[in-house]
Amino acid sequence: MTGAEAQNKLGEVLRTAREARDVDLARVERDTKIRARYLQALEDGDYAELPGAVYTKGFLRNYGAYLGLDTEYLI
């Protein structure tokens, strides 16, 4: 699996988990304090839109925990 495929799969996991919980990005933004545009970038696998690797890991950890996912697996 290439890096791009892994990013897309990760985004699908995040989007699927969010949709299964029936919450929209605006609600996740309010609850996690992560901007919706960054959440969207994570779901789209568009890491160029994120502010940097340290922030990306933190966003993944917080978003994953919010969704009840294994955060170590995500990172």
Side-chain angles (χ1 to χ4, degrees):
M1 181 180 306
T2 67
E5 290 172 338
Q7 289 173 351
N8 288 337
K9 177 149 177 56
L10 175 59
E12 288 176 27
V13 168
L14 293 170
R15 181 176 291 111
T16 301
R18 178 179 57 79
E19 289 173 350
R21 293 193 178 321
D22 197 31
V23 293
D24 61 12
L25 288 176
R27 173 68 187 261
V28 178
E29 179 180 35
R30 282 192 308 272
D31 293 345
T32 65
K33 308 295 189 239
I34 300 170
R35 290 186 179 182
R37 69 182 232 189
Y38 295 145
L39 296 167
Q40 186 69 58
L42 288 172
E43 289 186 359
D44 292 343
D46 189 6
Y47 293 96
E49 290 297 314
L50 297 165
V54 172
Y55 287 101
T56 301
K57 284 183 181 181
F59 292 161
L60 278 172
R61 186 172 284 117
N62 291 338
Y63 192 18
Y66 175 81
L67 296 172
L69 301 173
D70 180 359
T71 57
E72 292 305 314
Y73 170 77
L74 293 176
I75 295 173

